[in-house]
Amino acid sequence: MIVRTVGLVLCASLALGACSGGADRPLSKDASPEEVLSLAATMLNDTSGVKLTLATTNLPAGVSGITKADGIATNAPAFEGTITVLFSGQSVQVPVVAIDSTVYAQLPFAPGWQDIDPGEYGAPDPAALISAETGFPSLLGVTTDLEEGESVRGGADNAEVLTTYTGTVPGAAMKKTIPSSSGKSFDAEYQVADNGELRQASLTGAFYPDSTEMTYTVDFAAYGTSKDIVAP
């Protein structure tokens, strides 16, 4: 029973190399926020692979869910990494591989790799997290009330100057990416590098039914990563 329960939490939560080249500033300084985020969405969707890290420090009390995910997502599409799930007050780290529309996980108290169907729990294939249709790139194009903010330091070793953009993501759009989300809208803050790559997305709202608002921060690095991810 505990294996299936942890598997359910894991699947619902999942909804949650070398850098590519390109011009230092592919868009003019006068580009609108919509133009900047459109380019960022295209670059994230088109990259061969990216290192993706998702984390939160304010999972609502009493909620069983993801606190961290760290791995490589490729345009195969595929995903390989680990996630950390808080379940019944205990933190559990779970290795995950997703490929060919199948999700494999090494669940606690179960031998070897288990084949988990995310659709059984209304969750997407984690390999699709950088897809244009249901992944994080899809959120950029539907973000409304966009405003350009201040420049901040970020990226590897804080070596880059990133431009901040804020806006609102409709709840229906967020639900396509993270099906467990229940908020009507989500506050979004994006940090984009001069070369057009999205470095970070901070998303705030109700990600779990009957819970308070929280923030997931997603970092994207190592655009252009190539990794041959195979089924375990």
Side-chain angles (χ1 to χ4, degrees):
M1 180 66 180
I2 189 170
V3 171
R4 178 174 175 80
T5 304
V6 173
L8 188 152
V9 173
L10 170 60
C11 285
S13 300
L14 279 172
L16 307 164
C19 294
S20 60
D24 289 337
R25 186 180 291 276
L27 292 174
S28 72
K29 293 183 178 180
D30 296 327
S32 68
E34 288 79 8
E35 291 173 323
V36 172
L37 292 192
S38 177
L39 173 62
T42 298
M43 296 186 74
L44 182 55
N45 178 66
D46 289 350
T47 185
S48 59
V50 66
K51 178 176 174 56
L52 185 151
T53 303
L54 177 148
T56 183
T57 58
N58 62 340
L59 192 70
V63 169
S64 293
I66 187 172
T67 57
K68 186 176 182 180
D70 191 350
I72 298 295
T74 75
N75 64 359
F79 177 87
E80 181 177 7
T82 61
I83 72 165
T84 302
V85 173
L86 186 65
F87 174 71
S88 296
Q90 294 190 349
S91 183
V92 181
Q93 190 176 74
V94 182
V96 173
V97 172
I99 189 170
D100 293 334
S101 300
T102 303
V103 179
Y104 306 91
Q106 286 187 319
L107 299 175
F109 314 110
W113 291 87
Q114 304 296 312
D115 182 346
I116 298 175
D117 178 13
E120 184 178 346
Y121 309 104
D125 183 345
L129 289 178
I130 61 172
S131 77
E133 291 77 21
T134 59
F136 289 111
S138 70
L139 302 180
L140 300 180
V142 298
T143 303
T144 60
D145 302 322
L146 279 171
E147 293 186 4
E148 181 176 341
E150 299 180 350
S151 295
V152 297
R153 303 295 299 190
D157 300 321
N158 283 331
E160 294 180 297
V161 176
L162 310 177
T163 303
T164 299
Y165 299 89
T166 58
T168 303
V169 175
M174 185 66 74
K175 196 168 186 63
K176 291 181 180 179
T177 302
I178 305 180
S180 63
S181 62
S182 59
K184 293 183 178 179
S185 63
F186 293 78
D187 294 332
E189 179 179 289
Y190 306 113
Q191 294 180 3
V192 182
D194 280 349
N195 66 358
E197 294 175 351
L198 177 67
R199 288 286 178 265
Q200 185 179 93
S202 294
L203 306 165
T204 301
F207 283 98
Y208 296 92
D210 302 319
S211 69
T212 58
E213 290 190 348
M214 56 171 289
T215 298
Y216 274 124
T217 299
V218 190
D219 291 293
F220 306 89
Y223 280 66
T225 290
S226 296
K227 184 175 180 62
D228 184 18
I229 298 174
V230 297

PDB file of all heavy atoms in Angstrom, residues 50-87:
ATOM      1  N   VAL A  50      18.746  20.136 -21.458  1.00  0.00           N
ATOM      2  CA  VAL A  50      18.984  21.175 -20.468  1.00  0.00           C
ATOM      3  C   VAL A  50      19.005  20.544 -19.083  1.00  0.00           C
ATOM      4  O   VAL A  50      18.328  19.544 -18.828  1.00  0.00           O
ATOM      5  CB  VAL A  50      17.889  22.266 -20.564  1.00  0.00           C
ATOM      6  CG1 VAL A  50      16.533  21.708 -20.160  1.00  0.00           C
ATOM      7  CG2 VAL A  50      18.231  23.490 -19.737  1.00  0.00           C
ATOM      8  N   LYS A  51      19.796  21.112 -18.200  1.00  0.00           N
ATOM      9  CA  LYS A  51      19.773  20.698 -16.797  1.00  0.00           C
ATOM     10  C   LYS A  51      18.656  21.468 -16.118  1.00  0.00           C
ATOM     11  O   LYS A  51      18.631  22.700 -16.153  1.00  0.00           O
ATOM     12  CB  LYS A  51      21.110  20.982 -16.113  1.00  0.00           C
ATOM     13  CG  LYS A  51      21.125  20.606 -14.635  1.00  0.00           C
ATOM     14  CD  LYS A  51      22.494  20.804 -14.018  1.00  0.00           C
ATOM     15  CE  LYS A  51      22.467  20.577 -12.511  1.00  0.00           C
ATOM     16  NZ  LYS A  51      21.934  19.248 -12.147  1.00  0.00           N
ATOM     17  N   LEU A  52      17.748  20.741 -15.502  1.00  0.00           N
ATOM     18  CA  LEU A  52      16.559  21.340 -14.901  1.00  0.00           C
ATOM     19  C   LEU A  52      16.538  21.044 -13.407  1.00  0.00           C
ATOM     20  O   LEU A  52      16.705  19.899 -12.990  1.00  0.00           O
ATOM     21  CB  LEU A  52      15.303  20.784 -15.577  1.00  0.00           C
ATOM     22  CG  LEU A  52      13.951  21.359 -15.198  1.00  0.00           C
ATOM     23  CD1 LEU A  52      12.977  21.240 -16.382  1.00  0.00           C
ATOM     24  CD2 LEU A  52      13.347  20.644 -13.987  1.00  0.00           C
ATOM     25  N   THR A  53      16.358  22.098 -12.622  1.00  0.00           N
ATOM     26  CA  THR A  53      16.246  21.943 -11.172  1.00  0.00           C
ATOM     27  C   THR A  53      14.993  22.660 -10.698  1.00  0.00           C
ATOM     28  O   THR A  53      14.808  23.844 -10.995  1.00  0.00           O
ATOM     29  CB  THR A  53      17.465  22.524 -10.446  1.00  0.00           C
ATOM     30  OG1 THR A  53      18.645  21.895 -10.923  1.00  0.00           O
ATOM     31  CG2 THR A  53      17.361  22.294  -8.943  1.00  0.00           C
ATOM     32  N   LEU A  54      14.128  21.952 -10.002  1.00  0.00           N
ATOM     33  CA  LEU A  54      12.903  22.522  -9.445  1.00  0.00           C
ATOM     34  C   LEU A  54      12.967  22.379  -7.935  1.00  0.00           C
ATOM     35  O   LEU A  54      13.353  21.322  -7.430  1.00  0.00           O
ATOM     36  CB  LEU A  54      11.688  21.800 -10.019  1.00  0.00           C
ATOM     37  CG  LEU A  54      10.303  22.194  -9.513  1.00  0.00           C
ATOM     38  CD1 LEU A  54       9.265  22.024 -10.625  1.00  0.00           C
ATOM     39  CD2 LEU A  54       9.884  21.364  -8.298  1.00  0.00           C
ATOM     40  N   ALA A  55      12.586  23.438  -7.220  1.00  0.00           N
ATOM     41  CA  ALA A  55      12.667  23.367  -5.753  1.00  0.00           C
ATOM     42  C   ALA A  55      11.656  24.309  -5.114  1.00  0.00           C
ATOM     43  O   ALA A  55      11.209  25.290  -5.719  1.00  0.00           O
ATOM     44  CB  ALA A  55      14.078  23.719  -5.282  1.00  0.00           C
ATOM     45  N   THR A  56      11.295  23.981  -3.893  1.00  0.00           N
ATOM     46  CA  THR A  56      10.464  24.859  -3.077  1.00  0.00           C
ATOM     47  C   THR A  56      10.950  24.802  -1.639  1.00  0.00           C
ATOM     48  O   THR A  56      11.465  23.770  -1.188  1.00  0.00           O
ATOM     49  CB  THR A  56       8.977  24.470  -3.134  1.00  0.00           C
ATOM     50  OG1 THR A  56       8.205  25.422  -2.376  1.00  0.00           O
ATOM     51  CG2 THR A  56       8.746  23.083  -2.558  1.00  0.00           C
ATOM     52  N   THR A  57      10.774  25.903  -0.942  1.00  0.00           N
ATOM     53  CA  THR A  57      11.107  25.950   0.481  1.00  0.00           C
ATOM     54  C   THR A  57       9.851  26.148   1.327  1.00  0.00           C
ATOM     55  O   THR A  57       9.939  26.261   2.544  1.00  0.00           O
ATOM     56  CB  THR A  57      12.102  27.082   0.788  1.00  0.00           C
ATOM     57  OG1 THR A  57      11.531  28.336   0.355  1.00  0.00           O
ATOM     58  CG2 THR A  57      13.420  26.862   0.064  1.00  0.00           C
ATOM     59  N   ASN A  58       8.691  26.203   0.656  1.00  0.00           N
ATOM     60  CA  ASN A  58       7.460  26.479   1.414  1.00  0.00           C
ATOM     61  C   ASN A  58       6.312  25.568   1.020  1.00  0.00           C
ATOM     62  O   ASN A  58       5.198  26.010   0.764  1.00  0.00           O
ATOM     63  CB  ASN A  58       7.055  27.954   1.264  1.00  0.00           C
ATOM     64  CG  ASN A  58       6.748  28.342  -0.187  1.00  0.00           C
ATOM     65  OD1 ASN A  58       7.171  27.672  -1.124  1.00  0.00           O
ATOM     66  ND2 ASN A  58       6.022  29.431  -0.369  1.00  0.00           N
ATOM     67  N   LEU A  59       6.592  24.240   0.965  1.00  0.00           N
ATOM     68  CA  LEU A  59       5.511  23.288   0.738  1.00  0.00           C
ATOM     69  C   LEU A  59       4.492  23.441   1.871  1.00  0.00           C
ATOM     70  O   LEU A  59       4.864  23.429   3.047  1.00  0.00           O
ATOM     71  CB  LEU A  59       6.060  21.856   0.712  1.00  0.00           C
ATOM     72  CG  LEU A  59       5.106  20.772   0.211  1.00  0.00           C
ATOM     73  CD1 LEU A  59       4.873  20.911  -1.278  1.00  0.00           C
ATOM     74  CD2 LEU A  59       5.667  19.389   0.526  1.00  0.00           C
ATOM     75  N   PRO A  60       3.204  23.630   1.553  1.00  0.00           N
ATOM     76  CA  PRO A  60       2.207  23.857   2.601  1.00  0.00           C
ATOM     77  C   PRO A  60       2.175  22.732   3.634  1.00  0.00           C
ATOM     78  O   PRO A  60       2.398  21.561   3.303  1.00  0.00           O
ATOM     79  CB  PRO A  60       0.890  23.927   1.819  1.00  0.00           C
ATOM     80  CG  PRO A  60       1.288  24.374   0.450  1.00  0.00           C
ATOM     81  CD  PRO A  60       2.619  23.728   0.203  1.00  0.00           C
ATOM     82  N   ALA A  61       1.909  23.088   4.868  1.00  0.00           N
ATOM     83  CA  ALA A  61       1.835  22.102   5.946  1.00  0.00           C
ATOM     84  C   ALA A  61       0.766  21.063   5.633  1.00  0.00           C
ATOM     85  O   ALA A  61      -0.332  21.381   5.176  1.00  0.00           O
ATOM     86  CB  ALA A  61       1.519  22.800   7.265  1.00  0.00           C
ATOM     87  N   GLY A  62       1.110  19.793   5.867  1.00  0.00           N
ATOM     88  CA  GLY A  62       0.170  18.719   5.652  1.00  0.00           C
ATOM     89  C   GLY A  62       0.092  18.200   4.234  1.00  0.00           C
ATOM     90  O   GLY A  62      -0.624  17.236   3.963  1.00  0.00           O
ATOM     91  N   VAL A  63       0.819  18.829   3.321  1.00  0.00           N
ATOM     92  CA  VAL A  63       0.783  18.413   1.922  1.00  0.00           C
ATOM     93  C   VAL A  63       1.896  17.400   1.648  1.00  0.00           C
ATOM     94  O   VAL A  63       3.050  17.607   2.049  1.00  0.00           O
ATOM     95  CB  VAL A  63       0.946  19.627   0.974  1.00  0.00           C
ATOM     96  CG1 VAL A  63       1.182  19.164  -0.468  1.00  0.00           C
ATOM     97  CG2 VAL A  63      -0.287  20.513   1.038  1.00  0.00           C
ATOM     98  N   SER A  64       1.564  16.318   0.984  1.00  0.00           N
ATOM     99  CA  SER A  64       2.572  15.382   0.499  1.00  0.00           C
ATOM    100  C   SER A  64       2.869  15.749  -0.950  1.00  0.00           C
ATOM    101  O   SER A  64       1.972  15.713  -1.799  1.00  0.00           O
ATOM    102  CB  SER A  64       2.064  13.937   0.580  1.00  0.00           C
ATOM    103  OG  SER A  64       1.913  13.535   1.918  1.00  0.00           O
ATOM    104  N   GLY A  65       4.091  16.120  -1.230  1.00  0.00           N
ATOM    105  CA  GLY A  65       4.411  16.583  -2.571  1.00  0.00           C
ATOM    106  C   GLY A  65       5.898  16.710  -2.770  1.00  0.00           C
ATOM    107  O   GLY A  65       6.710  16.341  -1.910  1.00  0.00           O
ATOM    108  N   ILE A  66       6.251  17.254  -3.918  1.00  0.00           N
ATOM    109  CA  ILE A  66       7.654  17.369  -4.290  1.00  0.00           C
ATOM    110  C   ILE A  66       8.287  18.591  -3.642  1.00  0.00           C
ATOM    111  O   ILE A  66       7.676  19.649  -3.553  1.00  0.00           O
ATOM    112  CB  ILE A  66       7.793  17.433  -5.827  1.00  0.00           C
ATOM    113  CG1 ILE A  66       9.255  17.373  -6.239  1.00  0.00           C
ATOM    114  CG2 ILE A  66       7.140  18.680  -6.394  1.00  0.00           C
ATOM    115  CD1 ILE A  66       9.460  17.246  -7.738  1.00  0.00           C
ATOM    116  N   THR A  67       9.501  18.422  -3.144  1.00  0.00           N
ATOM    117  CA  THR A  67      10.260  19.552  -2.619  1.00  0.00           C
ATOM    118  C   THR A  67      11.451  19.891  -3.512  1.00  0.00           C
ATOM    119  O   THR A  67      11.956  21.001  -3.471  1.00  0.00           O
ATOM    120  CB  THR A  67      10.773  19.264  -1.195  1.00  0.00           C
ATOM    121  OG1 THR A  67      11.580  18.073  -1.205  1.00  0.00           O
ATOM    122  CG2 THR A  67       9.605  19.093  -0.231  1.00  0.00           C
ATOM    123  N   LYS A  68      11.874  18.909  -4.339  1.00  0.00           N
ATOM    124  CA  LYS A  68      12.996  19.174  -5.238  1.00  0.00           C
ATOM    125  C   LYS A  68      13.011  18.161  -6.367  1.00  0.00           C
ATOM    126  O   LYS A  68      12.620  17.005  -6.182  1.00  0.00           O
ATOM    127  CB  LYS A  68      14.335  19.112  -4.479  1.00  0.00           C
ATOM    128  CG  LYS A  68      15.538  19.511  -5.322  1.00  0.00           C
ATOM    129  CD  LYS A  68      16.821  19.526  -4.504  1.00  0.00           C
ATOM    130  CE  LYS A  68      18.007  19.965  -5.344  1.00  0.00           C
ATOM    131  NZ  LYS A  68      19.271  19.972  -4.558  1.00  0.00           N
ATOM    132  N   ALA A  69      13.436  18.601  -7.541  1.00  0.00           N
ATOM    133  CA  ALA A  69      13.683  17.714  -8.676  1.00  0.00           C
ATOM    134  C   ALA A  69      14.938  18.206  -9.366  1.00  0.00           C
ATOM    135  O   ALA A  69      15.149  19.414  -9.506  1.00  0.00           O
ATOM    136  CB  ALA A  69      12.506  17.717  -9.641  1.00  0.00           C
ATOM    137  N   ASP A  70      15.782  17.280  -9.758  1.00  0.00           N
ATOM    138  CA  ASP A  70      17.067  17.649 -10.355  1.00  0.00           C
ATOM    139  C   ASP A  70      17.412  16.617 -11.421  1.00  0.00           C
ATOM    140  O   ASP A  70      17.495  15.422 -11.122  1.00  0.00           O
ATOM    141  CB  ASP A  70      18.148  17.669  -9.270  1.00  0.00           C
ATOM    142  CG  ASP A  70      19.455  18.294  -9.752  1.00  0.00           C
ATOM    143  OD1 ASP A  70      19.586  18.540 -10.964  1.00  0.00           O
ATOM    144  OD2 ASP A  70      20.340  18.516  -8.916  1.00  0.00           O
ATOM    145  N   GLY A  71      17.579  17.067 -12.672  1.00  0.00           N
ATOM    146  CA  GLY A  71      17.896  16.107 -13.707  1.00  0.00           C
ATOM    147  C   GLY A  71      18.141  16.750 -15.054  1.00  0.00           C
ATOM    148  O   GLY A  71      18.220  17.966 -15.187  1.00  0.00           O
ATOM    149  N   ILE A  72      18.253  15.901 -16.068  1.00  0.00           N
ATOM    150  CA  ILE A  72      18.449  16.332 -17.439  1.00  0.00           C
ATOM    151  C   ILE A  72      17.188  16.028 -18.233  1.00  0.00           C
ATOM    152  O   ILE A  72      16.697  14.893 -18.230  1.00  0.00           O
ATOM    153  CB  ILE A  72      19.648  15.614 -18.093  1.00  0.00           C
ATOM    154  CG1 ILE A  72      20.942  15.942 -17.345  1.00  0.00           C
ATOM    155  CG2 ILE A  72      19.762  16.001 -19.567  1.00  0.00           C
ATOM    156  CD1 ILE A  72      21.366  17.396 -17.419  1.00  0.00           C
ATOM    157  N   ALA A  73      16.655  17.038 -18.914  1.00  0.00           N
ATOM    158  CA  ALA A  73      15.531  16.853 -19.823  1.00  0.00           C
ATOM    159  C   ALA A  73      16.040  17.059 -21.241  1.00  0.00           C
ATOM    160  O   ALA A  73      16.755  18.033 -21.514  1.00  0.00           O
ATOM    161  CB  ALA A  73      14.414  17.852 -19.510  1.00  0.00           C
ATOM    162  N   THR A  74      15.708  16.146 -22.149  1.00  0.00           N
ATOM    163  CA  THR A  74      16.167  16.243 -23.529  1.00  0.00           C
ATOM    164  C   THR A  74      14.976  16.307 -24.477  1.00  0.00           C
ATOM    165  O   THR A  74      13.837  16.021 -24.106  1.00  0.00           O
ATOM    166  CB  THR A  74      17.058  15.051 -23.920  1.00  0.00           C
ATOM    167  OG1 THR A  74      16.232  13.894 -24.103  1.00  0.00           O
ATOM    168  CG2 THR A  74      18.108  14.773 -22.847  1.00  0.00           C
ATOM    169  N   ASN A  75      15.290  16.667 -25.747  1.00  0.00           N
ATOM    170  CA  ASN A  75      14.223  16.761 -26.735  1.00  0.00           C
ATOM    171  C   ASN A  75      13.930  15.431 -27.401  1.00  0.00           C
ATOM    172  O   ASN A  75      13.289  15.383 -28.444  1.00  0.00           O
ATOM    173  CB  ASN A  75      14.568  17.827 -27.787  1.00  0.00           C
ATOM    174  CG  ASN A  75      15.807  17.470 -28.597  1.00  0.00           C
ATOM    175  OD1 ASN A  75      16.440  16.435 -28.380  1.00  0.00           O
ATOM    176  ND2 ASN A  75      16.181  18.343 -29.528  1.00  0.00           N
ATOM    177  N   ALA A  76      14.348  14.311 -26.793  1.00  0.00           N
ATOM    178  CA  ALA A  76      14.095  12.984 -27.362  1.00  0.00           C
ATOM    179  C   ALA A  76      12.596  12.688 -27.580  1.00  0.00           C
ATOM    180  O   ALA A  76      12.250  12.121 -28.607  1.00  0.00           O
ATOM    181  CB  ALA A  76      14.762  11.905 -26.511  1.00  0.00           C
ATOM    182  N   PRO A  77      11.675  12.979 -26.622  1.00  0.00           N
ATOM    183  CA  PRO A  77      11.924  13.588 -25.302  1.00  0.00           C
ATOM    184  C   PRO A  77      12.251  12.522 -24.258  1.00  0.00           C
ATOM    185  O   PRO A  77      11.807  11.385 -24.367  1.00  0.00           O
ATOM    186  CB  PRO A  77      10.593  14.254 -24.979  1.00  0.00           C
ATOM    187  CG  PRO A  77       9.575  13.384 -25.644  1.00  0.00           C
ATOM    188  CD  PRO A  77      10.226  12.848 -26.901  1.00  0.00           C
ATOM    189  N   ALA A  78      13.024  12.934 -23.252  1.00  0.00           N
ATOM    190  CA  ALA A  78      13.377  12.028 -22.162  1.00  0.00           C
ATOM    191  C   ALA A  78      13.781  12.846 -20.947  1.00  0.00           C
ATOM    192  O   ALA A  78      14.063  14.043 -21.050  1.00  0.00           O
ATOM    193  CB  ALA A  78      14.514  11.095 -22.584  1.00  0.00           C
ATOM    194  N   PHE A  79      13.799  12.164 -19.804  1.00  0.00           N
ATOM    195  CA  PHE A  79      14.213  12.809 -18.554  1.00  0.00           C
ATOM    196  C   PHE A  79      14.918  11.779 -17.688  1.00  0.00           C
ATOM    197  O   PHE A  79      14.508  10.622 -17.607  1.00  0.00           O
ATOM    198  CB  PHE A  79      13.002  13.360 -17.791  1.00  0.00           C
ATOM    199  CG  PHE A  79      13.343  13.974 -16.455  1.00  0.00           C
ATOM    200  CD1 PHE A  79      13.707  15.303 -16.355  1.00  0.00           C
ATOM    201  CD2 PHE A  79      13.303  13.206 -15.298  1.00  0.00           C
ATOM    202  CE1 PHE A  79      14.023  15.861 -15.120  1.00  0.00           C
ATOM    203  CE2 PHE A  79      13.620  13.756 -14.067  1.00  0.00           C
ATOM    204  CZ  PHE A  79      13.985  15.090 -13.977  1.00  0.00           C
ATOM    205  N   GLU A  80      15.984  12.214 -17.034  1.00  0.00           N
ATOM    206  CA  GLU A  80      16.677  11.352 -16.071  1.00  0.00           C
ATOM    207  C   GLU A  80      17.154  12.209 -14.912  1.00  0.00           C
ATOM    208  O   GLU A  80      17.787  13.253 -15.114  1.00  0.00           O
ATOM    209  CB  GLU A  80      17.867  10.650 -16.721  1.00  0.00           C
ATOM    210  CG  GLU A  80      18.610   9.715 -15.762  1.00  0.00           C
ATOM    211  CD  GLU A  80      19.742   8.956 -16.434  1.00  0.00           C
ATOM    212  OE1 GLU A  80      20.040   9.243 -17.616  1.00  0.00           O
ATOM    213  OE2 GLU A  80      20.330   8.074 -15.786  1.00  0.00           O
ATOM    214  N   GLY A  81      16.840  11.769 -13.701  1.00  0.00           N
ATOM    215  CA  GLY A  81      17.281  12.531 -12.543  1.00  0.00           C
ATOM    216  C   GLY A  81      16.706  11.967 -11.262  1.00  0.00           C
ATOM    217  O   GLY A  81      16.361  10.779 -11.188  1.00  0.00           O
ATOM    218  N   THR A  82      16.608  12.800 -10.257  1.00  0.00           N
ATOM    219  CA  THR A  82      16.030  12.396  -8.980  1.00  0.00           C
ATOM    220  C   THR A  82      15.019  13.434  -8.530  1.00  0.00           C
ATOM    221  O   THR A  82      15.122  14.616  -8.884  1.00  0.00           O
ATOM    222  CB  THR A  82      17.107  12.253  -7.884  1.00  0.00           C
ATOM    223  OG1 THR A  82      17.746  13.523  -7.694  1.00  0.00           O
ATOM    224  CG2 THR A  82      18.140  11.212  -8.262  1.00  0.00           C
ATOM    225  N   ILE A  83      14.044  12.995  -7.782  1.00  0.00           N
ATOM    226  CA  ILE A  83      13.124  13.932  -7.157  1.00  0.00           C
ATOM    227  C   ILE A  83      13.092  13.622  -5.670  1.00  0.00           C
ATOM    228  O   ILE A  83      13.380  12.499  -5.232  1.00  0.00           O
ATOM    229  CB  ILE A  83      11.710  13.867  -7.746  1.00  0.00           C
ATOM    230  CG1 ILE A  83      10.999  12.588  -7.324  1.00  0.00           C
ATOM    231  CG2 ILE A  83      11.726  14.015  -9.253  1.00  0.00           C
ATOM    232  CD1 ILE A  83       9.516  12.638  -7.560  1.00  0.00           C
ATOM    233  N   THR A  84      12.758  14.636  -4.900  1.00  0.00           N
ATOM    234  CA  THR A  84      12.616  14.463  -3.461  1.00  0.00           C
ATOM    235  C   THR A  84      11.169  14.753  -3.088  1.00  0.00           C
ATOM    236  O   THR A  84      10.642  15.824  -3.399  1.00  0.00           O
ATOM    237  CB  THR A  84      13.554  15.402  -2.692  1.00  0.00           C
ATOM    238  OG1 THR A  84      14.903  15.149  -3.093  1.00  0.00           O
ATOM    239  CG2 THR A  84      13.429  15.190  -1.187  1.00  0.00           C
ATOM    240  N   VAL A  85      10.536  13.775  -2.462  1.00  0.00           N
ATOM    241  CA  VAL A  85       9.128  13.876  -2.091  1.00  0.00           C
ATOM    242  C   VAL A  85       9.000  13.897  -0.581  1.00  0.00           C
ATOM    243  O   VAL A  85       9.635  13.100   0.122  1.00  0.00           O
ATOM    244  CB  VAL A  85       8.322  12.692  -2.670  1.00  0.00           C
ATOM    245  CG1 VAL A  85       6.896  12.700  -2.155  1.00  0.00           C
ATOM    246  CG2 VAL A  85       8.320  12.749  -4.188  1.00  0.00           C
ATOM    247  N   LEU A  86       8.198  14.812  -0.076  1.00  0.00           N
ATOM    248  CA  LEU A  86       7.869  14.831   1.352  1.00  0.00           C
ATOM    249  C   LEU A  86       6.581  14.052   1.531  1.00  0.00           C
ATOM    250  O   LEU A  86       5.533  14.422   0.983  1.00  0.00           O
ATOM    251  CB  LEU A  86       7.691  16.268   1.847  1.00  0.00           C
ATOM    252  CG  LEU A  86       7.474  16.423   3.357  1.00  0.00           C
ATOM    253  CD1 LEU A  86       8.729  15.969   4.116  1.00  0.00           C
ATOM    254  CD2 LEU A  86       7.157  17.877   3.701  1.00  0.00           C
ATOM    255  N   PHE A  87       6.663  12.940   2.265  1.00  0.00           N
ATOM    256  CA  PHE A  87       5.508  12.061   2.449  1.00  0.00           C
ATOM    257  C   PHE A  87       5.404  11.674   3.916  1.00  0.00           C
ATOM    258  O   PHE A  87       6.342  11.126   4.489  1.00  0.00           O
ATOM    259  CB  PHE A  87       5.651  10.806   1.576  1.00  0.00           C
ATOM    260  CG  PHE A  87       4.582   9.784   1.791  1.00  0.00           C
ATOM    261  CD1 PHE A  87       3.290  10.019   1.366  1.00  0.00           C
ATOM    262  CD2 PHE A  87       4.864   8.590   2.448  1.00  0.00           C
ATOM    263  CE1 PHE A  87       2.299   9.079   1.571  1.00  0.00           C
ATOM    264  CE2 PHE A  87       3.869   7.642   2.656  1.00  0.00           C
ATOM    265  CZ  PHE A  87       2.587   7.888   2.220  1.00  0.00           C
TER     266      PHE A  87
END
